[in-house]
Amino acid sequence: MKDRNFDDLAEKFAQNIYGTAKGQIRQAILRDELEDILSALPQRPLSIIDAGGGIGQISSGLALCGHQVLLGDVSAEMLRRAEEHALATGASENMVFKQMRVQDITDHLDQPADLVLFHAVLEWIAEPELALKALFEALTPGGVLSLMFYNLHGLTMQNLTLGNFGYLRADMKKRKKKTLSPDYPRDPQQVYGWLTECGFTIEQRAGIRVFSDFIRDMPPSANGFDGILEMERRFSRQEPFLSLGRYIHVTARKPLQKDQL
């Protein structure tokens, strides 16, 4: 097993992930969660790591707000696109780009970070526990990990509703390697256990696309995209909907050291 490199799928990734209504919903809920995280961190320019940051749509917005961002990715093509995006948006002055594996992130730091973004990466790497441990070490005490991962339960529910029973009987194993379907969908309880074992305290959870992926026919009275986003926001933190989201976002904090209490 090995980690996924998106050099060969960068264009498809950009179009299918960011250029769709599903991608817009994902970004909107992520921004909601980050607003809460930022309000609970020191009100000053922060040191931020975007680990496996892709083209950096979220982190470039944070850089525009004056925060200092290190965007790391194993894919040279993704880094090239991230730098282009930062230049186009005016965020490049506050951003640094490095090609690196998440597991090696501490080798590239001068000082620990206040906030680490780790969005839609955990489901592509073969050694998730090592990655989370590295991110724990990369944070300053009191710092926060913003983790978003592809949810095994959400994938199972979608295939149940589509009647893909053969795929379920095969344990949803991928038939093609070069697709945007993640290699390792994650069981939420296992992820929460990994975070706890690393030393993180889980503060908040939210489901992302808790129902909209299952929609077939939407009546005009639902108010289209705006209505869908309204309902996604309404139910994102409520069970049982949270645990059926296509993705789950976790806010996890590295505890303060005893002498800082």
Side-chain angles (χ1 to χ4, degrees), residues 48-220:
I48 298 175
I49 300 169
D50 193 355
I55 65 173
Q57 284 198 325
I58 291 286
S59 56
S60 61
L62 295 172
L64 283 171
C65 293
H67 303 298
Q68 299 298 312
V69 177
L70 166 63
L71 189 153
D73 203 291
V74 72
S75 166
E77 177 60 18
M78 280 295 187
L79 284 174
R80 184 187 68 79
R81 288 169 179 264
E83 292 192 62
E84 286 184 354
H85 179 74
L87 282 169
T89 58
S92 57
E93 183 177 340
N94 290 331
M95 297 186 74
V96 174
F97 305 89
K98 290 189 177 182
Q99 187 173 13
M100 60 182 175
R101 298 192 320 147
V102 174
Q103 296 90 327
D104 303 327
I105 198 164
T106 55
D107 297 338
H108 299 268
L109 300 181
D110 296 323
Q111 60 184 17
D114 301 299
L115 172 62
V116 170
L117 313 181
F118 196 44
H119 297 160
V121 182
L122 198 68
E123 59 268 24
W124 294 102
I125 57 178
E127 298 177 312
E129 294 167 276
L130 291 180
L132 293 174
K133 288 176 182 177
L135 296 179
F136 184 85
E137 294 301 320
L139 278 166
T140 190
V144 172
L145 170 66
S146 168
L147 169 67
M148 182 182 74
F149 63 90
Y150 193 77
N151 178 18
L152 176 65
H153 299 333
L155 178 62
T156 300
M157 177 59 75
Q158 186 184 47
N159 281 287
L160 285 168
T161 60
L162 292 173
N164 292 334
F165 302 150
Y167 182 48
L168 288 163
R169 292 186 187 106
D171 296 325
M172 297 187 295
K173 293 179 180 177
K174 290 176 62 173
R175 297 175 182 174
K176 297 179 180 179
K177 295 296 183 182
K178 294 185 178 182
T179 74
L180 295 181
S181 178
D183 294 335
Y184 313 108
R186 298 301 180 189
D187 182 321
Q189 291 303 320
Q190 189 173 45
V191 174
Y192 305 152
W194 291 336
L195 289 169
T196 301
E197 289 170 9
C198 286
F200 283 108
T201 299
I202 295 174
E203 295 186 339
Q204 184 62 268
R205 298 177 300 126
I208 296 176
R209 304 206 317 258
V210 299
F211 77 92
S212 54
D213 283 11
F214 309 131
I215 293 174
R216 295 297 171 262
D217 297 306
M218 181 64 66

